[in-house]
Amino acid sequence: MERATQGARIRALFENADDEVTVIAPFIKVDALRSLMEVIPAEAHLRCVSRWLPREIAAGVSDPEILDLLKTRGNFSLSLVDRLHAKLYIAGDRCLAGSANVTLAGLGESGEGSNIEVLVETTIDEPGIAATLEAIAQDERAATSSMARAARRLAESLSASKTLPGALTAHWFPGSRRPEQAYGFYTQPPSGYLGVADQILLDDLARSNLPPGLNEGEFRDAIRSLLMAIPLAEDLLTASEDTTLTRSDATSWLEAISGDDFSPNDLWIAFVNWMAHFFSDLVMKQEIAEIALRRARLLG
């Protein structure tokens, strides 16, 4: 006897729902979600929770366009949880929990390319499920059309980008010299023809892989975390006394990550500008024999 797919099991759970149906998965594709929606009664509210990260969207495993699909249905909510890994399908107090994302491969409905997945039937009162749902409720934020557009635009930039400073390292490294424009580009990424400087900044933001919808403070903290992970920055920021970092000090590291599109000097200037902008409380840009960064205990 042919075994039921995970998609068939989810549809069987949903088809008689009369109140609310919940779909929670980090990866949700339009075609797979549509296949589940076909059996959900119109009067049942459809709640979806997912995550949108540029790398995953660029890889084709997640679609921000599910928001448009949900709008055609109505009676829905869509929220994002950036740390989401759980896969839960809920109708009433019944729940299927396991490994299957809302993709045709995850649902077992892409032929030989289907994944080997598991979904275990349980209830929302099971302690582990209840704790997961509570954590999701605390972290979720409503998805918007502007967030969907931004996520897709950053993913497109990531897919097309050929300018990848730091591509040979495990660390994100900026190439743009205009960090003061970063948040504006993050919230409303430009489209159409872009000049070189605009494209480099957009590429920087795409490679940062930040989720859409962060407010300015959250964005600043996220960029600071990325910068702090760069060995050059870490050494400077953790210095126990006032110190100065020059391009000469960073030459070997910069040469290792430079290439045809970014010279060591290009990367140095970008690094100095981003550090001075996002760590203005800790470092300052200095003009000495060459541009440098000074780590000062007290800048006032």
Side-chain angles (χ1 to χ4, degrees):
M1 185 175 71
E2 187 175 347
R3 197 161 115 191
T5 65
Q6 303 296 0
R9 295 182 64 205
I10 297 169
R11 285 188 287 272
L13 174 67
F14 287 170
E15 61 187 356
N16 295 316
D18 56 9
D19 186 10
E20 180 174 86
V21 163
T22 299
V23 173
I24 298 175
F27 303 159
I28 303 181
K29 296 282 288 178
V30 166
D31 50 1
L33 180 59
R34 183 184 290 113
S35 77
L36 300 183
M37 287 170 52
E38 288 174 352
V39 304
I40 301 173
E43 62 272 16
H45 178 82
L46 173 54
R47 176 189 177 217
C48 289
V49 182
S50 192
R51 76 180 189 213
W52 292 341
L53 297 178
R55 286 180 196 158
E56 294 169 352
I57 296 168
V61 297
S62 190
D63 290 338
E65 291 78 15
I66 62 171
L67 178 56
D68 295 328
L69 176 64
L70 290 165
K71 285 181 177 179
T72 65
R73 178 189 190 273
N75 195 16
F76 78 96
S77 62
L78 173 62
S79 59
L80 303 177
V81 175
D82 303 330
R83 299 181 297 125
L84 183 66
H85 282 266
K87 294 90 174 175
L88 303 173
Y89 304 92
I90 302 169
D93 62 356
R94 297 175 62 202
C95 175
L96 290 172
S99 64
N101 278 293
V102 187
T103 65
L104 291 182
L107 299 182
E109 297 173 350
S110 63
E112 294 182 359
S114 294
N115 299 336
I116 298 174
E117 307 281 8
V118 62
L119 288 175
V120 176
E121 186 161 356
T122 182
T123 72
I124 59 174
D125 296 322
E126 192 278 326
I129 301 297
T132 299
L133 292 174
E134 182 179 355
I136 288 171
Q138 291 176 352
D139 285 2
E140 66 184 332
R141 63 182 183 280
T144 66
S145 295
S146 62
M147 289 161 61
R149 287 192 297 269
R152 174 56 69 187
R153 183 68 186 97
L154 291 173
E156 290 172 345
S157 180
L158 186 61
S159 297
S161 176
K162 295 181 181 179
T163 53
L164 300 173
L168 300 180
T169 78
H171 308 286
W172 175 83
F173 200 99
S176 171
R177 301 185 182 189
R178 302 186 303 174
E180 67 281 357
Q181 295 182 311
Y183 185 66
F185 268 52
Y186 162 79
T187 54
Q188 295 184 323
S191 58
Y193 174 78
L194 297 181
V196 173
D198 285 349
Q199 187 62 60
I200 292 173
L201 179 55
L202 194 62
D203 289 346
D204 283 345
L205 294 169
R207 290 184 297 102
S208 73
N209 202 39
L210 297 182
L214 300 180
N215 63 38
E216 192 162 5
E218 292 168 335
F219 175 80
R220 177 177 177 272
D221 289 344
I223 293 294
R224 281 170 66 108
S225 293
L226 289 172
L227 289 168
M228 287 177 68
I230 299 171
L232 294 177
E234 184 180 17
D235 293 343
L236 180 67
L237 295 172
T238 58
S240 58
E241 56 188 24
D242 291 2
T243 187
T244 300
L245 178 69
T246 68
R247 182 183 178 283
S248 297
D249 299 324
T251 294
S252 60
W253 205 87
L254 294 169
E255 288 179 347
I257 65 170
S258 62
D260 294 338
D261 294 307
F262 294 91
S263 69
N265 192 59
D266 291 331
L267 296 178
W268 173 245
I269 294 173
F271 175 71
V272 168
N273 288 356
W274 283 74
M275 290 293 294
H277 182 76
F278 283 98
F279 287 98
S280 58
D281 55 327
L282 296 175
V283 302
M284 65 176 68
K285 181 178 177 180
Q286 287 194 172
E287 298 283 350
I288 48 177
E290 58 179 343
I291 297 173
L293 276 173
R294 180 186 172 203
R295 166 73 165 95
R297 302 291 290 180
L298 296 173
L299 300 182

